[in-house]
Amino acid sequence: MSPTAQCYSFPRSPEHMDLVRRLTHEHVDRWLRWVDEAEPVPEEERARLAADDLAIRRNIAERDPANVMGVRFFGEETTERLVRALWGGDRALDRPGA
């Protein structure tokens, strides 16, 4: 999972769904607050940060142990295309800051 992932396992009930909904909103609100409060990345560091971000996203997508399920359900070619889409491997537009 990614550094920001959360995974829950519980019996489905209104109480549990309310709890997950509250926790999810708290998590997203915290991330959005951090974005609002963040200092801009200095220009000279942006390319390195973008490359690091791309490498992390690519590793997460390509090393996901569940990719074998995609191969089983959709075949190798379609799964490879889906995995590339997750990390932006077929992106046609320039990346921000590139």
Side-chain angles (χ1 to χ4, degrees):
M1 290 198 286
S2 79
T4 60
Q6 295 186 26
C7 181
Y8 299 98
S9 178
F10 53 85
R12 187 175 175 93
S13 71
E15 295 81 17
H16 290 141
M17 295 306 294
D18 288 343
L19 175 61
V20 169
R21 189 173 294 109
R22 181 178 60 79
L23 293 173
T24 302
H25 279 277
E26 288 174 4
H27 185 74
V28 170
D29 289 344
R30 181 172 45 253
W31 272 92
L32 292 175
R33 186 175 64 253
W34 290 345
V35 169
D36 289 341
E37 295 171 354
E39 297 280 329
V41 174
E43 186 71 37
E44 63 274 8
E45 295 179 28
R46 292 180 186 178
R48 180 196 52 79
L49 184 61
D52 289 349
D53 176 72
L54 179 60
I56 289 169
R57 288 185 292 111
R58 185 173 182 172
N59 283 330
I60 289 168
E62 290 183 346
R63 294 180 178 191
D64 187 335
N67 287 347
V68 296
M69 299 301 288
V71 173
R72 186 178 304 162
F73 292 124
F74 307 116
E76 187 76 34
E77 183 179 333
T78 299
T79 299
E80 287 177 6
R81 194 180 67 211
L82 291 169
V83 169
R84 274 194 321 275
L86 286 172
W87 64 267
D90 294 331
R91 185 182 181 109
L93 299 174
D94 288 337
R95 296 185 186 284

